[in-house]
Amino acid sequence: MSALTRFVLRVLAWLPLTFLVWYLLAPVIMWPVQALCRALAALTLGSLVQRVEADGGTLSFLTTLHPGAAQAGGILTVDVNMLLYAFGVPLFVALTLAAREGNLGRRLAVGYGAMLPFIVWGVLADFLKNIAITAPPPVTAQTGFSALDRDIIAFAYQFGSLILPAVVPAVVWVLLHRSFLETLRARQ
Protein backbone atom coordinates (compact mmCIF):
# COMPACT_ATOMS: atom_id res chain seq x y z
CA MET A 1 0.00 0.00 0.00
CA SER A 2 1.38 3.40 -0.97
CA ALA A 3 2.13 6.14 1.54
CA LEU A 4 -0.59 8.29 -0.01
CA THR A 5 -3.18 5.53 0.38
CA ARG A 6 -2.21 5.01 4.02
CA PHE A 7 -2.50 8.76 4.63
CA VAL A 8 -5.96 8.93 3.01
CA LEU A 9 -7.12 5.97 5.09
CA ARG A 10 -5.86 7.64 8.27
CA VAL A 11 -7.74 10.83 7.34
CA LEU A 12 -10.91 8.84 6.72
CA ALA A 13 -10.47 7.08 10.06
CA TRP A 14 -10.06 10.38 11.93
CA LEU A 15 -12.98 12.21 10.26
CA PRO A 16 -15.88 10.65 12.21
CA LEU A 17 -14.16 11.32 15.53
CA THR A 18 -13.13 14.88 14.66
CA PHE A 19 -16.65 15.72 13.45
CA LEU A 20 -18.18 14.21 16.59
CA VAL A 21 -15.87 16.18 18.90
CA TRP A 22 -16.41 19.36 16.85
CA TYR A 23 -20.18 19.00 17.08
CA LEU A 24 -20.29 18.11 20.79
CA LEU A 25 -17.81 20.82 21.80
CA ALA A 26 -19.24 23.47 19.45
CA PRO A 27 -19.97 25.98 22.25
CA VAL A 28 -16.32 25.87 23.34
CA ILE A 29 -14.74 25.60 19.90
CA MET A 30 -16.92 28.38 18.49
CA TRP A 31 -16.47 30.77 21.43
CA PRO A 32 -13.78 32.83 19.61
CA VAL A 33 -16.12 33.11 16.60
CA GLN A 34 -18.89 34.34 18.90
CA ALA A 35 -16.59 36.90 20.49
CA LEU A 36 -15.35 38.22 17.14
CA CYS A 37 -18.89 38.39 15.72
CA ARG A 38 -20.10 40.27 18.79
CA ALA A 39 -17.22 42.75 18.56
CA LEU A 40 -17.58 43.31 14.82
CA ALA A 41 -21.35 43.66 15.06
CA ALA A 42 -20.94 46.26 17.80
CA LEU A 43 -18.27 48.16 15.87
CA THR A 44 -19.73 48.06 12.37
CA LEU A 45 -23.43 47.19 12.64
CA GLY A 46 -24.36 49.05 15.82
CA SER A 47 -27.35 50.75 14.20
CA LEU A 48 -28.76 47.37 13.10
CA VAL A 49 -27.77 45.01 15.95
CA GLN A 50 -28.76 45.51 19.59
CA ARG A 51 -26.91 42.44 20.84
CA VAL A 52 -25.68 38.99 19.85
CA GLU A 53 -26.52 35.90 21.91
CA ALA A 54 -25.14 32.38 21.58
CA ASP A 55 -26.79 29.03 22.11
CA GLY A 56 -24.52 26.12 21.24
CA GLY A 57 -23.45 26.52 17.65
CA THR A 58 -26.07 29.18 16.89
CA LEU A 59 -25.70 32.94 17.10
CA SER A 60 -28.84 35.01 17.48
CA PHE A 61 -28.61 38.60 16.27
CA LEU A 62 -31.20 40.75 18.03
CA THR A 63 -31.71 43.62 15.63
CA THR A 64 -33.20 47.08 15.78
CA LEU A 65 -35.39 46.14 12.81
CA HIS A 66 -39.14 45.70 13.12
CA PRO A 67 -40.93 42.82 11.37
CA GLY A 68 -43.52 45.16 9.83
CA ALA A 69 -46.62 47.18 10.63
CA ALA A 70 -48.57 44.10 11.68
CA GLN A 71 -46.02 43.36 14.40
CA ALA A 72 -45.94 46.71 16.17
CA GLY A 73 -43.39 46.82 18.93
CA GLY A 74 -41.62 43.61 17.88
CA ILE A 75 -38.02 43.29 16.87
CA LEU A 76 -36.48 40.96 14.34
CA THR A 77 -34.09 38.22 15.49
CA VAL A 78 -31.85 36.41 13.02
CA ASP A 79 -30.34 33.03 13.91
CA VAL A 80 -27.15 31.88 12.18
CA ASN A 81 -25.74 28.37 12.51
CA MET A 82 -22.00 28.96 12.91
CA LEU A 83 -21.20 25.31 12.20
CA LEU A 84 -22.21 25.80 8.55
CA TYR A 85 -19.14 28.01 8.15
CA ALA A 86 -16.81 25.99 10.36
CA PHE A 87 -17.13 22.48 8.95
CA GLY A 88 -13.55 22.79 7.70
CA VAL A 89 -12.25 22.74 11.28
CA PRO A 90 -12.75 18.98 11.82
CA LEU A 91 -11.44 18.33 8.31
CA PHE A 92 -8.29 20.31 9.11
CA VAL A 93 -7.88 18.45 12.42
CA ALA A 94 -8.30 15.05 10.72
CA LEU A 95 -5.70 15.95 8.08
CA THR A 96 -3.31 17.20 10.76
CA LEU A 97 -3.71 14.10 12.94
CA ALA A 98 -3.29 11.82 9.93
CA ALA A 99 -0.04 13.54 8.93
CA ARG A 100 1.53 12.50 12.26
CA GLU A 101 3.96 15.42 12.36
CA GLY A 102 5.42 17.06 15.43
CA ASN A 103 4.18 20.27 17.08
CA LEU A 104 0.59 19.04 16.94
CA GLY A 105 -0.78 21.62 19.38
CA ARG A 106 0.97 24.48 17.62
CA ARG A 107 -0.23 23.35 14.19
CA LEU A 108 -3.81 22.98 15.41
CA ALA A 109 -3.77 26.38 17.12
CA VAL A 110 -2.22 28.18 14.15
CA GLY A 111 -4.60 26.45 11.76
CA TYR A 112 -7.66 27.33 13.82
CA GLY A 113 -6.46 30.90 14.20
CA ALA A 114 -5.97 31.18 10.46
CA MET A 115 -9.49 29.86 9.78
CA LEU A 116 -11.23 32.12 12.34
CA PRO A 117 -11.58 35.26 10.19
CA PHE A 118 -13.12 33.25 7.38
CA ILE A 119 -15.63 31.57 9.70
CA VAL A 120 -16.58 35.00 11.05
CA TRP A 121 -16.91 36.24 7.45
CA GLY A 122 -19.42 33.49 6.69
CA VAL A 123 -21.46 34.07 9.85
CA LEU A 124 -21.70 37.84 9.38
CA ALA A 125 -22.41 37.52 5.65
CA ASP A 126 -25.25 35.09 6.46
CA PHE A 127 -26.72 37.58 8.93
CA LEU A 128 -26.47 40.43 6.42
CA LYS A 129 -28.00 38.30 3.66
CA ASN A 130 -30.95 37.56 5.93
CA ILE A 131 -31.72 41.19 6.74
CA ALA A 132 -30.79 42.77 3.39
CA ILE A 133 -31.95 40.20 0.83
CA THR A 134 -34.18 37.38 2.10
CA ALA A 135 -36.23 39.32 4.65
CA PRO A 136 -39.60 40.73 3.58
CA PRO A 137 -39.51 44.16 1.86
CA PRO A 138 -40.71 46.07 4.96
CA VAL A 139 -37.63 44.75 6.79
CA THR A 140 -35.08 45.20 4.00
CA ALA A 141 -36.26 48.79 3.56
CA GLN A 142 -35.29 49.55 7.18
CA THR A 143 -31.67 48.46 6.64
CA GLY A 144 -30.85 51.33 4.29
CA PHE A 145 -28.71 49.12 2.04
CA SER A 146 -28.43 50.19 -1.60
CA ALA A 147 -28.69 47.82 -4.56
CA LEU A 148 -24.88 47.78 -4.75
CA ASP A 149 -24.67 47.00 -1.03
CA ARG A 150 -27.04 44.05 -1.52
CA ASP A 151 -24.96 42.78 -4.45
CA ILE A 152 -21.81 42.93 -2.32
CA ILE A 153 -23.61 41.15 0.52
CA ALA A 154 -24.82 38.45 -1.88
CA PHE A 155 -21.27 37.93 -3.16
CA ALA A 156 -19.86 37.85 0.37
CA TYR A 157 -22.48 35.31 1.41
CA GLN A 158 -21.90 33.04 -1.61
CA PHE A 159 -18.12 33.22 -1.23
CA GLY A 160 -18.35 32.76 2.55
CA SER A 161 -20.68 29.79 2.36
CA LEU A 162 -19.58 27.92 -0.77
CA ILE A 163 -15.87 28.61 -1.21
CA LEU A 164 -14.18 29.63 2.02
CA PRO A 165 -15.35 26.82 4.35
CA ALA A 166 -13.93 24.15 2.03
CA VAL A 167 -10.88 25.87 0.55
CA VAL A 168 -9.38 27.69 3.55
CA PRO A 169 -8.79 24.57 5.71
CA ALA A 170 -7.11 22.79 2.79
CA VAL A 171 -4.86 25.75 1.99
CA VAL A 172 -3.94 26.25 5.66
CA TRP A 173 -3.18 22.54 6.04
CA VAL A 174 -0.93 22.55 2.95
CA LEU A 175 0.94 25.61 4.22
CA LEU A 176 1.48 24.04 7.65
CA HIS A 177 2.49 20.61 6.31
CA ARG A 178 4.80 21.33 3.39
CA SER A 179 7.53 19.03 4.69
CA PHE A 180 5.04 16.18 5.05
CA LEU A 181 3.85 16.71 1.49
CA GLU A 182 7.43 16.80 0.18
CA THR A 183 8.18 13.53 1.98
CA LEU A 184 4.98 12.00 0.64
CA ARG A 185 5.87 13.05 -2.89
CA ALA A 186 9.38 11.64 -2.55
CA ARG A 187 7.94 8.25 -1.50
CA GLN A 188 5.81 8.00 -4.65
Side-chain angles (χ1 to χ4, degrees), residues 19-117:
F19 269 94
L20 178 66
V21 169
W22 165 76
Y23 182 77
L24 294 176
L25 296 181
V28 175
I29 294 169
M30 300 309 290
W31 182 85
V33 175
Q34 295 171 23
L36 287 170
C37 285
R38 279 189 181 109
L40 285 171
L43 287 172
T44 61
L45 302 170
S47 63
L48 295 173
V49 178
Q50 289 180 358
R51 69 180 183 273
V52 180
E53 297 176 353
D55 181 24
T58 302
L59 276 187
S60 296
F61 292 83
L62 283 71
T63 71
T64 58
L65 306 173
H66 302 283
Q71 303 290 329
I75 59 166
L76 183 71
T77 301
V78 176
D79 291 336
V80 177
N81 182 350
M82 295 182 290
L83 299 181
L84 294 175
Y85 307 99
F87 68 82
V89 172
L91 173 62
F92 173 80
V93 173
L95 287 164
T96 300
L97 293 170
R100 297 180 178 171
E101 288 194 298
N103 297 322
L104 180 65
R106 180 186 163 279
R107 289 177 197 271
L108 291 174
V110 169
Y112 181 67
M115 288 184 277
L116 266 177

Side-chain angles (χ1 to χ4, degrees), residues 32 53 116 120 122 129 131 140 146 150 161 173 176 185:
E53 297 176 353
L116 266 177
V120 170
K129 180 227 15 150
I131 64 168
T140 60
S146 69
R150 287 191 297 278
S161 64
W173 183 82
L176 291 174
R185 186 180 68 174

Side-chain angles (χ1 to χ4, degrees), residues 95-180:
L95 287 164
T96 300
L97 293 170
R100 297 180 178 171
E101 288 194 298
N103 297 322
L104 180 65
R106 180 186 163 279
R107 289 177 197 271
L108 291 174
V110 169
Y112 181 67
M115 288 184 277
L116 266 177
F118 301 102
I119 298 168
V120 170
W121 169 318
V123 171
L124 291 176
D126 189 330
F127 164 70
L128 289 170
K129 180 227 15 150
N130 277 293
I131 64 168
I133 299 169
T134 61
V139 174
T140 60
Q142 296 172 55
T143 64
F145 291 124
S146 69
L148 178 61
D149 293 336
R150 287 191 297 278
D151 287 342
I152 292 169
I153 290 167
F155 171 78
Y157 170 72
Q158 293 294 326
F159 198 64
S161 64
L162 299 174
I163 306 297
L164 294 177
V167 173
V168 169
V171 170
V172 170
W173 183 82
V174 166
L175 292 174
L176 291 174
H177 294 86
R178 286 179 295 219
S179 62
F180 171 78

